Amino acid sequence: MKYYKLFILSIAILLGACNAQDRVLYLQDIESGAQIDLPSNYLIRLKPLDQITVVVNSKNPELSVPFNSSSSYNSLAGTPSAGSATESSLQVITVDNSGYIDMPIIGRIKCAGLTREELASVIEKKIKDGGYIVDPKVNVRFANLTISILGEVERPGRYDIKKDQLTIFEALALAGDMTIYGNRDDVAIIREKDGKNIVTKVDLRSKDIFSSPCFYLEQNDVVIVSPNEYRAAAAEINQNRSFWISLASTGISLATLVMTIITVSK
């Protein structure tokens, strides 16, 4: 009977360990060596209210000066401000609500829906077609590319994106990965599209994540990792414990006050 009980206990421990592992492992349904097809040409595309920097270069630097000296044009206000286009003080252009920017000399340019490289090509073409520079080279960079990661991660917060392709796994790595209490099969990504916030739920334990439109994150995405049932239960226990401790403390203080009043009255 003694050995039988030990055997049952061992089995229970093993089953509990397996269940715990299932809760925290990523990509559980994929075999080693499996090949996953990903969109190789995926890049973040410009949206209204994005902020970018645009620098025009040429073999003859003097020809590019007019395009860079007023590169601080704000497309929302439509007015230029002083500034240079040096690496130390790049001026920021804001995409307006219609998806356009205002460039010095060449005017308004539609950029919403374009990648950085595509916008650079459009600007280069306009400069060439206008006869301003024969060999323009344009560099476009994002100035406000950020995502937010909240919930059951080690370091929740807002993070700058340093490249045009960022996967959900790379984003979680920025935040120090999920805690063991993070719900890996119910991660929410909030994305703004056409003036609306769209919520997409993904399961990071499944290979289906690779085909999700949120596998690659976009600017201003918000990733929310919900707590699993164990964290929720622990939080409820702690809350109830705090309530009873507070109630007991209040009762003791009240009793002490009553005893003091009685003593003074005597």
Side-chain angles (χ1 to χ4, degrees), residues 203-257:
D203 183 354
L204 300 184
R205 302 178 308 170
S206 171
K207 62 184 179 182
D208 292 341
I209 181 61
F210 292 109
S211 59
S212 169
C214 290
F215 176 69
Y216 287 109
L217 297 184
E218 298 181 1
Q219 63 270 49
N220 302 319
D221 278 357
V222 179
V223 179
I224 301 178
V225 180
S226 60
N228 59 26
E229 57 187 12
Y230 301 97
R231 169 65 83 182
E236 185 176 357
I237 291 172
N238 290 334
Q239 185 177 11
N240 291 337
R241 182 183 300 167
S242 298
F243 170 76
W244 289 112
I245 291 175
S246 177
L247 183 62
S249 178
T250 301
I252 293 172
S253 299
L254 183 59
T256 302
L257 178 61

Side-chain angles (χ1 to χ4, degrees), residues 16-17 19-26 28 151-155 172 175-185 187 205 225-232 234:
N19 289 335
Q21 190 178 49
D22 289 342
R23 291 193 297 270
V24 299
L25 284 180
Y26 297 112
Q28 298 178 25
E152 284 295 334
V153 293
E154 290 293 338
R155 297 186 300 272
L172 291 172
D177 200 5
M178 293 187 194
T179 69
I180 60 172
Y181 299 107
N183 201 342
R184 285 156 173 77
D185 62 353
V187 178
R205 302 178 308 170
V225 180
S226 60
N228 59 26
E229 57 187 12
Y230 301 97
R231 169 65 83 182

